[in-house]
Amino acid sequence: MLRHATAPDSTQPLDPGSCGPRTGLRLQHIRAALFAVALAFMAGGCSRSGGPEASPQGSGVNLSTVPPSAYPLPAAADAARFLNQASFGATEAEVNKVRTYGYSAWLEDQFFMPGRSHEAYINTVSASLAPGQSLDDSHVMNTFWREAATGQDQLRRRVAFALSQIFVVSLQDSTVSEFKRGVASYLDMLGRNAFGNYRQLLDEVTLHPMMGLYLSHLRNRKEDPARNRVPDQNYAREVMQLFSIGLYELNPDGTPRLVGGQPVETYDSGDIVGLSRVFTGFSWAGPDKSDTRFFGGGMQDPDREVLFMQSYPSFHSISEKRFLTAVIPAGTNADPDGDLRIALDTIASHPNVGPFISRQLIQRLVTSNPTPAYVARVAQAFDAGRYTSGLWSTGTGQRGELRATVAAILLDPEARTAARLADPGFGKVREPILRTAHWMRAFNASSASGNFLLGVTDDATASLGQSAMRSPTVFNFYRPGYVPPNTSIATAGLVAPELQIVNEVSVVGYSNFMRSAVQNGLGSGSPRDIQPDYTAELALADNADLLIDRVSLLLTAGSMSAATRMIIRDAVNSVAMPATNQTTARQNRVRLAVFFTLSSPEYLVQK
Amino acid sequence: MRASRRHFLKTASLMSMAGVAGPFALNLAAIGAAAAQTAPGYRAIVCLFLYGGNDHTNTLIPYDQPSYDQYFAARDTIAIARDQLAATATGAVASQGGREFAFHPALTSFKTRWDEGKLAVVANVGPLIVPTTVAQYNARSVPLPPKLFSHNDQQSVWQAQAPIGEGAKLGWGGRIGDLLAGQNANVQFTCISAGGNAVFLSGQNVIQYQVGSSGPVAISGISGTLYSSASASAAYRNLITGTSANLFENELGVVTNRSITSNQLLSASLPPASTFPLPNPTSNLASQLNVVARIISARSAIGANRQVFLVSLGGFDNHDFLLTQHTQQLTIANAAVNAFYGWLVQMGVQNDVTIFTASDFGRTLTSNGDGSDHGWGSHHFVLGGSVLGHEIYGTFPPTAFGTSVDIGQGNMMPGIAVDQYAATFARWLGVSDTDVPLVVPNVVNFGTSRYLPFL
């Protein structure tokens, strides 16, 4: 019934037992992960029994019975605006669904919507490679675009993409890039936890081998004073600075807590040293815990890149571990799993986590500069594990629940009230990936191969200057606190993260990329693999205003200004409708409307 | 002083607004008051930023036997074998008590420039607010740079003054640009990054201009026929450069407008990339330096007399695989910098351009098994025909634990402040003594040693 219902994957066999991180129950905490897999990918994901990747069915949620939120059924423009925050971009079908059932029903539906596995996609590709061919980064990009464009579990995808920009691993790292399947599995893991609990997410992020490689705690050894060797501190530092609590103590509204007018640091070098000892003695999974396996040699488990790391007690520090509020005394028996549990419990229970994570998720989904009150309301939902709007309520009541957090972000008055649109500091610059995915969705792009063969788009000169899962560093493509120097934004005291990758080069690359995409489609092949379907727009092409109405609704949630509309109308009307060969004229009129809108600053800022 | 400073800022501010309307409006005559800070001819500095925190210990290695033994004992499995260092050894360095050192084996061209007297080492430089001892650091009894050991923050601290850390808005390259832009006919080509967005080049008035490593590229939609329409391209340019009440929309229009006007000027002036053949191995860094060379080559055409450039190379956060990955990155840097110096000689401007390295931080002396962790002070290189080379400035501390500069794990308390390093370049470019503290305010805390004698 969905316009973007996914194509059956039953022809794509899933290698039995190759599901994204599974461990054969080697570690206790993985059982919870498997349970989450079962919930999240009920019909489409991985299962130990293997078999074909089944075609995902609907969520099973009866939309008519979901209690209404505090908001009335939205008009089309409001629904589109909501979808631009909650998905990879509005489509006609989803707009109609939100209008018909309301926000809460759409969210409830999405919370239980099954989806396809990136790892299964990679496995399928891998199995079909000709001799001498190997996986490359493009394959990870392909499955990302396929799901961004056509996945029915859009909210999960959008939140997972947001999480991938907080809990960063990157194919730009030469070690990580050897493991395309591992990176696909990491992205699956983020999606699986997108509506789960933060503590579980932190656990799986920490133990995923791609993170272990990226932040080098995989095969990290305990100290050896005789050789002046200490544990690698990389993960200990970044897990606190970037994935959980940040550098300074926060108030519940996300503002720094000041003591004597000064911010208070959350940790110092001593905490890093203490915590670094926890992250020792973890390495590749496999059927044994031999030293050779720890160092990555010998007979490697063929699935090691998608299996959570396992502990190797002989490499785990038994020294005292003092960090934050925790002290793990020196012992005689190494207990890597026990120490890890204490460490992640300690970090996850820090009061900073709610505001720290909430604010960044708001920035990724809704607006770059949320008011402290908005952050506080979302952090409250994070802490309470529950969110209520009108008669609708969601969440288990467990602290750290991301389902309640996401609902709180999207249904907050600051996200929903149209009055905010007039605030000159409201909204966020759309990042290039979101713009491109939105174009695919708004115009029902389809892939001739079914595989969405658009590869790496790093090159800012000729493409997007951004590729999913290819951040330059663990600090993401841009920082949440980025202030573009010498601008009215800086003067106003605001941040604009996405502007960190907007520059004199990137504006050229994007414009030229889109000019070509709008006319020729995207991706490899000739004709290009990914083609838009402008059928509905072509039907309106004789009337510039009707055409612009439709494009404006889908791309700008109907917010196009009169001045912009006038420029676009003139451009569309500059292509006269001839007596003959009207098809070409109509095509060019549609291309002008779409390309102009996609290039307009009003579109480039999601509001 | 204060009054003339304000006057300058006001003038430049008016100028930068005028610059939107007409790029040639910002000429030397119109900004005469600021042109007092003039030195004849052309001069430029090029910052090579090594992102990730370069492992300084394996970049310049103690080589005389006792010093090497100390290094080897400290570094365990991440030490470079001494027999690999013979070709890049410096010989005895008198200023360091006759100790000998060796460049990383990949840095062959650095060794050549050293021998030619064109390359100097600045030892143990890092962010400081005041001269600081280990005891003062341990007691937190003096002001310290914030968020030490954090990548993004220390990148900012190296590059920028205020506010310090992530979110900084004023880089010292940009501040130099503020003070010297009056000598350029086109202010937008004062501070140029070929190495990505860096706060280093952001001034109060001067805006960093980012250029791709392949040189300027045009927006195709603003000229010619667009989807069969002859008139749409002009409308398209209006659309994408328009103003808006929304601050983000407005800024997108500003950047796009700057891109279009700068591109038109530059693309008309730059020689082809092939003028400066890329080295082997080639790299993105070599391409960045190639476009810098092309811009320097066009200095007369674009009216540039003082310029600050930034290029960058990542991959230096070697917590793991230090020996192999560090070698790879230094091999790239060696080839690219060698080629660039050759291009400068080709243009006859090797005495007018100074290249220097910078990085997030140095790294621990301790091994973590396969790499090193985040540190503080680090050794850096300065290269160019005007550099008083074949010398190590500052004090190269013993490569050992428990020294007077060891703040733990062999991390070095810097002996030279970034502000002193920066002040030296600022003065060389022509910033007056009285204005240098406007570039690096904390330099006044370093008494009479505001400048280092390498330039």
Side-chain angles (χ1 to χ4, degrees):
Chain A
M1 89 187 216
L2 287 176
R3 202 165 144 205
H4 283 292
T6 49
D9 273 339
S10 51
T11 55
Q12 303 178 356
L14 182 70
D15 180 29
S18 69
C19 245
R22 51 90 185 154
T23 64
L25 305 183
R26 289 186 192 103
L27 297 174
Q28 178 159 11
H29 64 265
I30 300 307
R31 291 196 194 108
L34 282 173
F35 180 65
V37 175
L39 271 183
F41 292 107
M42 274 181 300
C46 296
S47 69
R48 286 284 291 167
S49 59
E53 185 188 7
S55 172
Q57 306 297 310
S59 68
V61 171
N62 182 343
L63 276 69
S64 334
T65 63
V66 177
S69 70
Y71 302 93
L73 288 179
D78 291 331
R81 194 161 91 84
F82 171 81
L83 288 164
N84 289 342
Q85 298 165 342
S87 73
F88 277 100
T91 65
E92 184 179 14
E94 292 294 316
V95 165
N96 288 336
K97 196 167 176 182
V98 172
R99 290 184 67 186
T100 306
Y101 297 103
Y103 299 129
S104 54
W106 190 86
L107 288 172
E108 195 79 38
D109 192 38
Q110 285 288 309
F111 286 150
F112 294 96
M113 189 68 76
R116 292 175 295 204
S117 154
H118 293 296
E119 191 208 333
Y121 177 100
I122 296 289
N123 291 340
T124 303
V125 171
S126 185
S128 66
L129 289 173
Q133 280 188 319
S134 56
L135 291 168
D136 62 40
D137 285 9
S138 295
H139 296 120
V140 180
M141 305 302 127
N142 297 163
T143 178
F144 174 84
W145 287 117
R146 184 176 79 147
E147 299 312 322
T150 64
Q152 58 178 353
D153 53 343
Q154 277 288 306
L155 179 60
R156 180 187 304 282
R157 300 292 174 188
R158 179 76 188 260
V159 174
F161 184 49
L163 293 174
S164 79
Q165 297 190 44
I166 299 173
F167 304 91
V168 175
V169 305
S170 175
L171 284 161
Q172 293 228 21
D173 180 273
S174 59
T175 315
V176 172
S177 72
E178 293 173 32
F179 302 98
K180 320 303 178 193
R181 185 176 157 220
V183 171
S185 145
Y186 186 87
L187 193 49
D188 280 343
M189 180 274 291
L190 294 178
R192 201 169 59 234
N193 285 289
F195 309 137
N197 192 280
Y198 171 81
R199 175 65 180 82
Q200 180 70 28
L201 171 64
L202 188 63
D203 197 84
E204 299 196 16
V205 163
T206 301
L207 286 174
H208 198 288
M210 294 305 105
M211 182 58 81
L213 286 176
Y214 192 51
L215 293 185
S216 57
H217 54 297
L218 185 149
R219 67 179 184 72
N220 184 20
R221 285 177 284 167
K222 66 182 174 187
E223 68 280 3
D224 182 354
R227 312 193 70 177
N228 292 314
R229 198 183 71 218
V230 296
D232 188 317
Q233 301 175 350
N234 203 8
Y235 193 70
R237 184 180 301 282
E238 309 306 3
V239 71
M240 291 200 288
Q241 179 172 351
L242 299 175
F243 302 166
S244 59
I245 65 178
L247 291 165
Y248 292 123
E249 289 187 12
L250 302 176
N251 294 310
D253 65 5
T255 57
R257 189 170 83 84
L258 301 179
V259 173
Q262 294 298 313
V264 183
E265 294 193 346
T266 44
Y267 58 86
D268 63 19
S269 298
D271 296 292
I272 301 289
V273 169
L275 191 56
S276 73
R277 293 178 183 144
V278 173
F279 301 115
T280 51
F282 293 91
S283 190
W284 297 111
D288 60 54
K289 296 192 174 188
S290 67
D291 288 7
T292 308
R293 186 173 305 288
F294 178 84
F295 288 111
M299 284 291 289
Q300 297 157 356
D301 190 302
D303 293 332
R304 65 177 189 161
E305 64 188 281
V306 300
L307 301 177
F308 286 127
M309 292 188 288
Q310 64 182 7
S311 61
Y312 292 75
S314 59
F315 292 99
H316 183 70
S317 173
I318 55 171
S319 301
E320 181 186 79
K321 305 172 185 75
R322 190 179 284 268
F323 50 90
L324 302 177
T325 57
V327 181
I328 302 175
T332 48
N333 292 318
D335 182 11
D337 298 307
D339 290 354
L340 182 70
R341 188 165 53 245
I342 293 169
L344 298 186
D345 280 347
T346 302
I347 293 169
S349 62
H350 193 289
N352 269 26
V353 176
F356 185 79
I357 296 295
S358 297
R359 186 167 191 280
Q360 290 189 66
L361 286 175
I362 294 170
Q363 287 186 309
R364 295 279 66 77
L365 301 180
V366 177
T367 186
S368 297
N369 294 276
T371 63
Y374 182 11
V375 175
R377 289 188 292 269
V378 174
Q380 191 188 4
F382 180 96
D383 286 339
R386 191 144 193 91
Y387 178 74
T388 301
S389 172
L391 299 174
W392 181 68
S393 194
T394 190
T396 59
Q398 247 192 336
R399 179 173 178 275
E401 191 173 283
L402 297 172
R403 177 177 314 193
T405 308
V406 168
I409 289 169
L410 294 171
L411 294 186
D412 192 89
E414 200 160 320
R416 295 275 55 80
T417 310
R420 294 287 297 157
L421 298 176
D423 181 337
F426 186 74
K428 64 181 290 270
V429 174
R430 279 190 162 95
E431 59 203 275
I433 286 174
L434 289 182
R435 303 172 195 172
T436 306
H438 195 177
W439 170 78
M440 291 182 192
R441 288 180 59 72
F443 305 107
N444 295 318
S446 60
S447 159
S449 69
N451 285 333
F452 284 78
L453 300 176
L454 176 59
V456 170
T457 47
D458 288 352
D459 182 4
T461 307
S463 65
L464 299 177
Q466 185 191 29
S467 308
M469 308 309 288
R470 281 185 57 86
S471 166
T473 74
V474 73
F475 290 84
N476 195 27
F477 307 102
Y478 29 72
R479 300 298 305 139
Y482 178 72
V483 178
N486 248 323
T487 61
S488 51
I489 297 164
T491 308
L494 302 176
V495 301
E498 293 84 356
L499 281 182
Q500 196 170 339
I501 57 168
V502 171
N503 55 58
E504 295 84 348
V505 178
S506 75
V507 296
V508 178
Y510 172 71
S511 178
N512 293 349
F513 181 86
M514 274 302 171
R515 181 187 179 178
S516 171
V518 164
Q519 177 160 355
N520 304 316
L522 282 175
S524 55
S526 181
R528 293 181 178 175
D529 186 59
I530 302 168
Q531 289 294 330
D533 174 2
Y534 293 131
T535 306
E537 289 73 30
L538 288 167
L540 303 171
D542 293 11
N543 184 321
D545 278 308
L546 291 179
L547 172 62
I548 295 168
D549 279 347
R550 178 177 172 85
V551 173
S552 168
L553 173 68
L554 289 172
L555 294 180
T556 74
S559 70
M560 189 183 287
S561 70
T564 294
R565 172 180 280 265
M566 192 182 298
I567 292 175
I568 299 178
R569 186 200 291 120
D570 288 350
V572 169
N573 285 332
S574 72
V575 178
M577 289 301 296
T580 59
N581 199 9
Q582 293 184 328
T583 304
T584 301
R586 287 193 182 109
Q587 281 173 340
N588 283 325
R589 287 165 74 100
V590 168
R591 288 166 184 157
L592 283 163
V594 173
F595 179 55
F596 271 55
T597 304
L598 284 169
S599 304
S600 65
E602 287 171 18
Y603 168 73
L604 297 176
V605 178
Q606 175 192 302
K607 292 178 289 295
Chain B
M1 270 342 116
R2 285 274 161 212
S4 72
R5 171 78 196 138
R6 273 196 296 277
H7 173 71
F8 164 74
L9 290 177
K10 199 173 161 193
T11 311
S13 184
L14 289 169
M15 291 282 100
S16 65
M17 282 196 286
V20 174
F24 283 107
L26 276 170
N27 56 52
L28 186 54
I31 200 169
Q37 309 192 330
T38 300
Y42 174 84
R43 278 187 179 178
I45 56 173
V46 181
C47 173
L48 166 54
F49 206 95
L50 308 174
Y51 280 108
N54 181 39
D55 186 90
H56 62 276
T57 308
N58 276 10
T59 301
L60 192 69
I61 299 112
Y63 184 68
D64 61 89
Q65 195 67 50
S67 299
Y68 181 84
D69 290 347
Q70 234 176 0
Y71 157 84
F72 187 79
R75 284 232 119 175
D76 189 37
T77 52
I78 57 170
I80 298 172
R82 188 161 186 269
D83 59 11
Q84 294 180 35
L85 299 171
T88 49
T90 61
V93 180
S95 65
Q96 306 297 323
R99 293 169 69 197
E100 293 174 58
F101 303 88
F103 295 91
H104 186 285
L107 295 178
T108 51
S109 78
F110 285 52
K111 152 75 172 161
T112 304
R113 298 287 103 74
W114 166 276
D115 289 344
E116 295 168 359
K118 307 298 185 196
L119 179 138
V121 173
V122 183
N124 194 15
V125 54
L128 288 175
I129 294 171
V130 298
T132 306
T133 65
V134 171
Q136 288 169 326
Y137 168 75
N138 287 332
R140 304 293 192 270
S141 60
V142 297
L144 296 169
K147 311 177 197 174
L148 286 164
F149 316 112
S150 154
H151 283 293
N152 57 331
D153 296 294
Q154 292 309 305
Q155 287 161 11
S156 265
V157 171
W158 251 93
Q159 297 182 12
Q161 299 303 319
I164 289 176
E166 182 179 304
K169 298 168 198 166
L170 285 178
W172 54 266
R175 299 294 290 125
I176 291 172
D178 281 343
L179 294 164
L180 302 179
Q183 301 180 40
N184 295 339
N186 295 289
V187 164
Q188 74 264 39
F189 300 134
T190 304
C191 289
I192 300 178
S193 176
N197 190 352
V199 71
F200 173 67
L201 294 175
S202 293
Q204 197 151 345
N205 302 295
V206 162
I207 292 165
Q208 130 180 261
Y209 173 67
Q210 293 189 55
V211 62
S213 56
S214 54
V217 182
I219 294 177
S220 69
I222 61 168
S223 58
T225 303
L226 185 52
Y227 303 126
S228 84
S229 168
S231 64
S233 56
Y236 184 71
R237 179 170 177 166
N238 288 340
L239 176 78
I240 62 178
T241 57
T243 59
S244 169
N246 181 287
L247 297 174
F248 307 114
E249 293 174 11
N250 196 64
E251 182 58 19
L252 287 160
V254 168
V255 174
T256 305
N257 192 53
R258 197 163 62 231
S259 171
I260 293 169
T261 55
S262 301
N263 175 66
Q264 288 172 340
L265 261 171
L266 263 192
S267 56
S269 309
L270 256 55
S274 58
T275 308
F276 304 110
L278 293 173
N280 183 23
T282 193
S283 61
N284 182 263
L285 175 63
S287 296
Q288 293 174 39
L289 286 165
N290 174 273
V291 79
V292 170
R294 292 166 69 196
I295 293 170
I296 291 174
S297 170
R299 62 195 179 281
S300 299
I302 61 174
N305 288 304
R306 288 293 178 274
Q307 290 184 301
V308 182
F309 294 96
L310 181 132
V311 295
S312 69
L313 179 63
F316 285 91
D317 193 20
N318 302 130
H319 291 275
D320 247 347
F321 310 112
L322 173 71
L323 287 177
T324 52
Q325 292 187 354
H326 194 228
T327 300
Q328 283 171 20
Q329 298 316 98
L330 291 184
T331 302
I332 289 168
N334 180 67
V337 170
N338 186 44
F340 183 65
Y341 188 75
W343 300 332
L344 296 179
V345 172
Q346 182 181 332
M347 289 185 276
V349 295
Q350 70 272 25
N351 295 342
D352 304 321
V353 178
T354 300
I355 308 137
F356 65 93
T357 58
S359 191
D360 313 15
F361 35 61
R363 303 186 78 83
T364 57
L365 178 57
T366 48
S367 162
N368 63 32
D370 200 11
S372 55
D373 288 292
H374 302 183
W376 192 351
S378 183
H379 311 313
H380 285 286
F381 299 113
V382 187
L383 166 63
S386 292
V387 173
L388 301 173
H390 201 279
E391 180 58 290
I392 296 178
Y393 295 87
T395 302
F396 194 111
T399 308
F401 301 101
T403 68
S404 63
V405 299
D406 182 3
I407 59 163
Q409 299 185 14
N411 271 328
M412 296 191 301
M413 164 67 64
I416 291 172
V418 172
D419 286 28
Q420 295 168 283
Y421 193 54
T424 309
F425 299 115
R427 185 181 64 170
W428 182 72
L429 281 173
V431 175
S432 69
D433 286 339
T434 45
D435 278 353
V436 162
L438 297 171
V439 174
V440 276
N442 291 325
V443 81
V444 300
N445 301 332
F446 293 84
T448 54
S449 8
R450 289 187 187 184
Y451 309 108
L452 306 169
F454 58 75
L455 272 176

